[in-house]
Amino acid sequence: MLKAETEAKSGVEPVVYIVDDDVEIREALLDLFLLNKRRAFAFASSAEFIELADTNAPGCLVVDLRMPDGNGIDLQSELAAKGSRLPVIFLTAYADVPTSVKAMKAGAYDFITKPFANLDLLNAVDHAIRRDQEKREFDAEVDHIRACLDTLTPREKEVMSAVVRGLMNKQIAYELGISEMTVKLHRMSVMRKMECRSLAALVRCVERIRQRD
């Protein structure tokens, strides 16, 4: 098997990563995804996956819950520690409520019991990939907003904070002890640096940062 190498950037086709120690199930899953036009790579163990896969690539992980080299939840925890954002779908023939709850609390996207309908798994994978894409787009947007925010001076940040609180220029001038004209100049600079054409857009930028924080 060739080493799975993907770039975690916009425009790259998502990857479905499969981790299962059962060779028949592993190959069946790989065939299922490839035949249904999903890009996929399969691994026999968690260690092999960690060594060979790009865990920062867009896509999702389909992993067997119980494997000789460690359970799927251990792999999920290792990915989280590495900063990977891959959504995880667990497969198991031994479903139990405590394990399911533990997996979901740890951030698992779904928990599917074997045997399962192929369509159910395909749908779960598509939903997980869509969520992953939405999360990446959100994070990229917030990173850009933070980069813009870093260009503001301390005074501009104070003015921006007052603006998004709904204060008028006259109120901001009184609160900060500066002239109303100075407030207007700072406000124009804030809008330009934050790349916002309206107050609503500026408020949205601030809310985006708060959502991730």
Side-chain angles (χ1 to χ4, degrees):
M1 178 184 63
L2 296 177
K3 181 174 181 177
E5 296 179 344
T6 58
E7 296 293 333
K9 61 183 180 181
S10 176
V12 174
E13 183 181 359
V15 180
V16 182
Y17 289 119
I18 303 158
V19 180
D20 198 307
D21 63 294
D22 188 313
V23 62
E24 292 185 1
I25 293 178
R26 188 168 67 248
E27 291 181 353
L29 289 172
L30 185 60
D31 288 342
L32 172 66
F33 293 125
L34 295 179
L35 288 173
N36 284 277
K37 311 301 182 183
R38 276 71 165 182
R39 189 178 181 203
F41 294 100
F43 304 89
S45 67
S46 297
E48 182 183 34
F49 169 73
I50 291 296
E51 178 184 358
L52 299 178
D54 179 0
T55 57
N56 290 315
C60 76
L61 170 64
V62 177
V63 57
D64 187 31
L65 183 63
R66 299 186 179 186
M67 295 179 290
D69 73 329
N71 62 49
I73 295 180
D74 290 337
L75 175 56
Q76 181 186 26
S77 299
E78 186 171 357
L79 287 175
K82 289 167 62 70
S84 173
R85 69 183 80 194
L86 275 175
V88 180
I89 297 173
F90 286 105
L91 301 180
T92 180
Y94 307 96
D96 62 83
V97 173
T99 302
S100 300
V101 171
K102 182 178 180 180
M104 298 307 250
K105 283 185 175 181
Y109 181 78
D110 210 339
F111 200 96
I112 298 177
T113 305
K114 303 173 185 177
F116 51 82
N118 288 345
L119 183 59
D120 289 343
L121 180 56
L122 289 171
N123 286 337
V125 164
D126 288 345
H127 291 159
I129 289 175
R130 186 155 48 247
R131 188 183 75 167
D132 179 55
Q133 180 60 33
E134 291 171 352
K135 180 66 165 56
R136 288 171 186 274
E137 290 173 355
F138 174 81
D139 286 347
E141 180 184 4
V142 174
D143 288 342
H144 180 69
I145 293 172
R146 286 193 182 281
C148 293
L149 186 62
D150 288 342
T151 67
L152 300 185
T153 66
R155 178 65 83 188
E156 287 170 344
K157 290 179 181 179
E158 289 177 336
V159 170
M160 184 182 76
S161 176
V163 168
V164 298
R165 281 159 45 208
L167 298 185
M168 305 295 290
N169 289 344
K170 184 179 297 186
Q171 295 171 309
I172 298 172
Y174 176 79
E175 183 176 285
L176 299 181
I178 57 180
S179 71
E180 189 173 347
M181 179 56 69
T182 301
V183 171
K184 290 180 180 179
L185 292 173
H186 282 315
R187 186 165 181 161
M188 290 173 59
S189 182
V190 167
M191 298 299 283
R192 176 177 56 81
K193 290 181 178 180
M194 294 301 295
E195 301 178 0
C196 295
R197 296 184 178 181
S198 67
L199 174 58
L202 185 63
V203 171
R204 180 176 180 275
C205 286
V206 174
E207 286 302 315
R208 279 285 192 259
I209 293 175
R210 289 173 178 170
Q211 285 174 26
R212 192 161 78 173
D213 291 344

